[in-house]
């Protein structure tokens, strides 16, 4: 049975295997991985997972451009299957192109309904934070993400050109 867990160094080997599946230049939505994050060593990976956990603490100041967010990993036992994050509020970029929630599932774990399930779980977490509607975005050609969002009640607001290319923008009332 999959579960949402806090990012942990315990899944380092499985996370690395998932990263290899995506390839070296792939962006893993919802993972919180930045281009300057050191995940190649166990120590760097542990520091990165600690940073991910700290981003949800609203008493901790963040660097410019970042918003407070809670990160979870989709896991089954010791296997990393994907990631999902909930941004506690939106800045201008997120309102235009990123949304409240981002997620990704490793290629070998797709087509199992994991993203749909995880999004449903995180909608509950958003309610607990006092958020009454969430914005999600996806690329216009990402049929799997469109299905995931729409099956969770997403209503298409528009398709627009953003700083990162065209995006379908959906709102989900909680």
């Amino acid at each position: 049975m999959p579960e949402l867990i806090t990012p942990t160094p315990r899944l380092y080997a499985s996370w690395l295997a998932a990263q290899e599946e995506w390839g070296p230049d792939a962006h893993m939505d919802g993972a919180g991985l930045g281009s300057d994050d050191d995940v190649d060593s166990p120590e760097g990976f542990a520091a990165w997972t600690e940073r991910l956990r700290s981003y949800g603490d609203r008493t901790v100041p963040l660097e410019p451009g970042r918003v407070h967010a809670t990160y979870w990993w989709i896991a089954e036992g010791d296997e990393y299957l994907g990631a999902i994050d909930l941004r506690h509020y939106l800045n201008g970029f997120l309102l235009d192109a990123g949304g409240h929630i981002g997620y990704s599932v490793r290629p070998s774990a797709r087509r199992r309904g994991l993203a749909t399930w995880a999004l449903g779980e995180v909608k509950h977490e958003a309610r607990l934070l006092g958020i009454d509607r969430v914005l999600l975005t996806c690329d216009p050609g990402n049929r799997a993400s469109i299905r995931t969002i729409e099956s969770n009640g997403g209503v298409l607001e528009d398709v627009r050109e953003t700083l990162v290319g065209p995006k379908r923008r959906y709102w989900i009332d909680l």
Side-chain angles (χ1 to χ4, degrees):
M1 230 18 228
E3 59 182 329
L4 294 182
I5 65 169
T6 302
T8 174
R10 180 177 60 82
L11 297 186
Y12 180 54
S14 182
W15 187 92
L16 282 177
Q19 187 185 39
E20 285 181 25
E21 288 180 23
W22 267 295
D25 297 324
H27 175 73
M28 297 179 286
D29 291 320
L33 182 63
S35 60
D36 57 345
D37 287 317
D38 167 25
V39 293
D40 295 327
S41 70
E43 298 78 20
F45 187 80
W48 174 62
T49 60
E50 177 59 34
R51 260 193 322 280
L52 290 179
R53 292 189 299 274
S54 75
Y55 291 146
D57 183 348
R58 288 199 181 189
T59 66
V60 175
L62 299 176
E63 56 269 16
R66 185 171 276 287
V67 300
H68 287 95
T70 304
Y71 291 86
W72 295 273
W73 286 354
I74 305 165
E76 202 163 44
D78 286 336
E79 185 179 8
Y80 172 90
L81 302 173
I84 189 165
D85 74 325
L86 170 62
R87 296 138 193 157
H88 299 183
Y89 48 90
L90 301 177
N91 60 20
F93 172 77
L94 293 172
L95 181 60
D96 186 48
H100 285 95
I101 299 171
Y103 54 84
S104 58
V105 174
R106 72 189 285 175
S108 64
R110 292 179 183 161
R111 304 190 61 75
R112 293 175 42 191
L114 292 169
T116 301
W117 166 79
L119 178 53
E121 296 294 308
V122 171
K123 285 174 15 184
H124 173 72
E125 296 294 330
R127 280 188 219 100
L128 294 176
L129 284 175
I131 301 171
D132 59 1
R133 68 193 285 240
V134 291
L135 174 67
L136 286 95
T137 69
C138 68
D139 292 342
N142 188 339
R143 303 302 307 158
S145 197
I146 291 167
R147 281 191 306 273
T148 293
I149 295 167
E150 289 179 351
S151 69
N152 269 281
V155 176
L156 182 66
E157 178 181 59
D158 62 14
V159 179
R160 67 173 67 167
E161 192 61 38
T162 72
L163 290 173
V164 293
K167 293 291 177 185
R168 293 176 66 93
R169 298 174 70 256
Y170 290 89
W171 289 95
I172 300 175
D173 289 326
L174 304 175

